[in-house]
């Protein structure tokens, strides 16, 4: 018997299979081991890697690209380690996020993180307090955390993203 081919598949699955990391998506047999292994699924009633891959195989392109769920994957790769078919849901969802970002479907929380990064050069600027500034001063450390300005300047040259909310 030759290499097994699982159905269904869809043009959306083919599109993702063309992105590095998404190649094996069509090999998914819907066994559910990824969901059973997933640390995020343990804490979320909605996040189910098997179900997301099922929607991809069924061609639910708009629903998947507009969903926040693929952005919840924390790339721990437990699913990838355990999948017997060589599918990496982590990489498949990475490919989904690439397409979603290209089409303007980045969830608000991630856009806010990017906006903070583009504004401050780091994402914890708002948590920097007077107390920490005094502590740093006492320790003889630099209190002006504009040390990232050069990085920020270069980032803006290559990544001219607009600041968001
Ligand atoms: S473990 Fe692999 S084959 Fe099983 S549902 Fe998840 S991705 Fe599909
Ligand atoms: S890589 Fe993502 S989908 Fe896979 S187990 Fe970790 S959080 Fe779940």
């Amino acid at each position: 018997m030759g290499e097994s081919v699982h159905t269904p598949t869809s043009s959306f699955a083919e599109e993702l299979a063309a992105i590095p990391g998404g190649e094996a998506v069509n090999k998914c047999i819907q066994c559910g081991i990824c969901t059973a292994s997933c640390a995020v699924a343990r804490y979320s009633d909605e996040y189910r890697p098997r179900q997301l891959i099922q929607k991809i195989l069924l061609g639910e392109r708009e629903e998947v690209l507009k969903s926040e769920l693929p952005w919840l994957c924390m790339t721990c790769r437990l699913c990838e380690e355990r999948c017997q078919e060589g599918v990496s849901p982590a990489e498949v969802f990475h490919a989904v996020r690439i397409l979603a970002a290209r089409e303007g479907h980045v969830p608000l929380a991630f856009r806010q993180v990017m906006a903070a990064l583009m504004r401050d050069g780091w994402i914890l600027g708002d948590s920097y307090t007077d107390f920490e500034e005094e502590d740093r001063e006492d320790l003889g450390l630099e209190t002006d955390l504009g040390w990232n300005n050069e990085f920020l300047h270069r980032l803006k040259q290559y990544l001219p993203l607009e600041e968001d909310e």
Side-chain angles (χ1 to χ4, degrees):
M1 227 166 79
E3 191 180 338
S4 63
V5 177
H6 308 296
T7 55
T9 185
S10 64
S11 57
F12 183 34
E14 298 300 336
E15 195 179 355
L16 290 171
I19 297 175
E23 296 92 344
V25 64
N26 283 316
K27 291 186 180 166
C28 175
I29 57 169
Q30 289 289 292
C31 68
I33 287 176
C34 49
T35 295
S37 310
C38 178
V40 176
R42 204 175 303 160
Y43 295 101
S44 161
D45 291 337
E46 290 179 65
Y47 186 76
R48 297 288 179 266
R50 181 204 62 77
Q51 216 169 58
L52 265 174
I53 292 193
Q54 182 184 44
K55 287 181 193 290
I56 291 167
L57 295 175
L58 291 172
E60 307 287 347
R61 191 178 191 282
E62 285 304 297
E63 184 184 336
V64 173
L65 291 190
K66 287 182 178 171
S67 168
E68 295 192 354
L69 296 177
W71 298 80
L72 295 184
C73 172
M74 60 178 182
T75 323
C76 69
R77 299 187 186 277
L78 271 175
C79 53
E80 181 183 302
E81 288 292 322
R82 293 177 179 169
C83 176
Q84 298 299 301
E85 299 300 316
V87 183
S88 168
E91 291 293 334
V92 171
F93 302 151
H94 184 224
V96 167
R97 295 197 296 269
I98 289 173
L99 280 185
R102 275 188 203 149
E103 298 183 17
H105 304 306
V106 179
L108 178 62
F110 291 87
R111 283 186 279 128
Q112 286 173 329
V113 168
M114 280 305 291
L117 183 67
M118 297 305 275
R119 186 184 63 237
D120 303 330
W122 57 321
I123 58 174
L124 296 175
D126 288 344
S127 66
Y128 185 53
T129 65
D130 291 347
F131 295 115
E132 278 153 334
E133 191 171 324
E134 284 166 20
D135 283 346
R136 289 181 68 86
E137 197 168 16
D138 291 346
L139 291 167
L141 297 171
E142 183 63 68
T143 56
D144 174 13
L145 294 189
W147 35 253
N148 251 352
N149 287 345
E150 177 58 21
F151 162 72
L152 195 55
H153 176 68
R154 288 162 67 179
L155 188 64
K156 282 181 174 167
Q157 271 185 321
Y158 293 105
L159 198 65
L161 293 178
E162 284 176 20
E163 291 197 1
D164 211 333
E165 300 77 346

